[in-house]
């Protein structure tokens, strides 16, 4: 079957794209015809991802981008526009997530500030730098990568607050950008098997039982949702949060199993 080519000649910038969800998204969008700028603070790993895309016949470049630095963000956006001729899609994927202190009152200010800066303010910086170019493209779209943590308590105070803030920014920016022809949406993943879980396979296996669809997510699951929201297939969708979570937020799988056992069903 021939792959869809919904992003033929589109210029796309993805942050935090060296690994995991960002890398999978870069591969998916390049497969559909996009020119992808793979940005990350780890330029070496970003180049590996870009190189793997080119080996498969796709169009990709690597570029260093620290979303905590306005100059770095603006340089990445300018490079994408120069290299590809336009910037049509921005995917805000970079984030920070620091493990919680055992007691909330022991959380350092620096941890809170860093996670919010990378996860929420970083997306703000990138969107601000990109917006005029997305307007000029005539088909601009922003897809933010959120989390179920922004909707329900799964721990990580700063990260969760930042992801909830990113959902709010998605709505307010969607309202602002709609009359300028730019759509803004958010994908909220559940647990996804990325390099962040390396060495913790037993934890992933335990989490699998909490998901109604019987497994944790894969980066390609999220990439597929991003591709939909970034494409013209979602031309009448803006300001929305799309949960890609295996049913986690809608069904309490463990409770249902236990209730069946207790009731003899």
């Amino acid at each position: 079957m021939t792959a869809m080519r919904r992003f033929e000649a589109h210029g796309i910038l993805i942050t935090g794209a060296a690994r995991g969800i960002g890398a999978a998204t870069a591969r998916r969008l390049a497969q559909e015809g996009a020119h992808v700028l793979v940005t990350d603070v780890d330029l070496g790993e970003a180049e590996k991802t870009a190189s793997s895309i080119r080996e498969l016949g796709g169009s990709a470049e690597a570029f260093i981008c620290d979303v905590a630095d306005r100059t770095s963000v603006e340089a990445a956006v300018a490079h994408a526009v120069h290299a590809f001729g336009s910037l049509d899609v921005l995917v805000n994927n970079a984030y920070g997530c620091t493990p919680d202190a055992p007691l909330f009152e022991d959380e350092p200010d620096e941890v809170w500030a860093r996670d919010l800066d990378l996860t929420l303010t970083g997306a703000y910086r990138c969107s601000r730098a990109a917006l005029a170019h997305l307007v000029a493209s005539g088909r601009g779209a922003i897809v933010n990568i959120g989390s179920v943590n922004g909707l329900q308590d799964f721990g990580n105070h700063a990260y969760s607050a930042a992801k909830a803030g990113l959902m709010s920014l998605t709505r307010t920016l969607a309202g602002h950008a709609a009359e300028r022809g730019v759509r803004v949406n958010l994908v909220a993943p559940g647990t996804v098997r990325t390099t962040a879980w390396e060495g913790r396979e037993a934890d992933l296996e335990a989490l699998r039982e909490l998901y109604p669809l019987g497994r944790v997510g894969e980066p390609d699951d999220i990439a597929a949702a991003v591709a939909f929201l970034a494409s013209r297939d979602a031309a009448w969708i803006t300001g929305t949060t799309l949960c890609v979570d295996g049913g986690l937020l809608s069904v309490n799988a463990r409770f249902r199993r236990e209730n069946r056992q207790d009731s003899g069903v």
Side-chain angles (χ1 to χ4, degrees), residues 84 211 228 246 248 255:
F84 306 143
Y211 283 86
F228 164 66
L248 179 68
F255 179 85

Side-chain angles (χ1 to χ4, degrees), residues 43-61:
L43 183 58
E45 287 299 314
E47 178 53 46
K48 289 180 183 178
T49 296
S51 177
S52 70
I53 291 170
R54 292 193 298 270
E55 288 172 2
L56 294 174
S59 173
E61 294 186 20

Side-chain angles (χ1 to χ4, degrees), residues 40-104:
D40 203 281
V41 291
D42 189 336
L43 183 58
E45 287 299 314
E47 178 53 46
K48 289 180 183 178
T49 296
S51 177
S52 70
I53 291 170
R54 292 193 298 270
E55 288 172 2
L56 294 174
S59 173
E61 294 186 20
F63 199 84
I64 193 164
C65 180
D66 179 359
V67 299
D69 181 84
R70 179 173 182 169
T71 300
S72 179
V73 166
E74 291 177 348
V77 168
H79 183 83
V81 174
H82 175 75
F84 306 143
S86 67
L87 180 60
D88 304 283
V89 177
L90 168 67
V91 181
N92 286 312
N93 174 67
Y95 71 95
C97 182
T98 307
D100 290 336
L103 293 177
F104 180 77

Side-chain angles (χ1 to χ4, degrees), residues 26-257:
R27 288 190 292 269
R28 173 62 183 260
L29 299 182
Q31 182 184 30
E32 292 202 35
H35 305 298
V36 180
L37 191 64
V38 179
T39 77
D40 203 281
V41 291
D42 189 336
L43 183 58
E45 287 299 314
E47 178 53 46
K48 289 180 183 178
T49 296
S51 177
S52 70
I53 291 170
R54 292 193 298 270
E55 288 172 2
L56 294 174
S59 173
E61 294 186 20
F63 199 84
I64 193 164
C65 180
D66 179 359
V67 299
D69 181 84
R70 179 173 182 169
T71 300
S72 179
V73 166
E74 291 177 348
V77 168
H79 183 83
V81 174
H82 175 75
F84 306 143
S86 67
L87 180 60
D88 304 283
V89 177
L90 168 67
V91 181
N92 286 312
N93 174 67
Y95 71 95
C97 182
T98 307
D100 290 336
L103 293 177
F104 180 77
E105 56 267 34
D106 293 332
E107 289 283 337
D109 284 0
E110 313 82 70
V111 168
W112 178 270
R114 179 181 181 275
D115 281 6
L116 262 69
D117 192 36
L118 292 174
T119 308
L120 176 56
T121 310
Y124 156 74
R125 289 188 188 98
C126 294
S127 299
R128 178 180 59 190
L131 188 55
H133 301 289
L134 297 172
V135 171
S137 84
R139 54 190 182 189
I142 297 173
V143 182
N144 296 319
I145 306 301
S147 172
V148 293
N149 284 57
L151 291 160
Q152 191 169 309
D153 172 30
F154 295 104
N156 296 109
H157 304 297
Y159 171 80
S160 298
K163 290 298 190 182
L166 189 55
M167 289 182 188
S168 179
L169 177 61
T170 298
R171 292 188 294 270
T172 58
L173 184 54
H176 171 80
E179 64 185 23
R180 302 169 72 186
V182 176
R183 297 179 302 103
V184 187
N185 291 291
L186 180 143
V187 176
T191 305
V192 177
R193 190 190 309 274
T194 66
T195 54
W197 290 91
E198 284 182 356
R200 301 173 59 193
E201 287 74 17
D203 292 336
L204 279 178
E205 181 62 21
L207 288 171
R208 178 185 65 77
E209 298 183 3
L210 301 179
Y211 283 86
L213 289 181
R215 65 175 177 87
V216 299
E218 301 294 340
D220 286 345
D221 294 318
I222 312 308
V226 173
F228 164 66
L229 288 175
S231 77
R232 296 305 296 171
D233 287 340
W236 210 44
I237 300 174
T238 196
T240 196
T241 289
L242 174 60
C243 291
V244 184
D245 66 350
L248 179 68
L249 294 183
S250 61
V251 180
N252 188 323
R254 177 173 288 175
F255 179 85
R256 285 175 62 86
R257 282 195 301 272

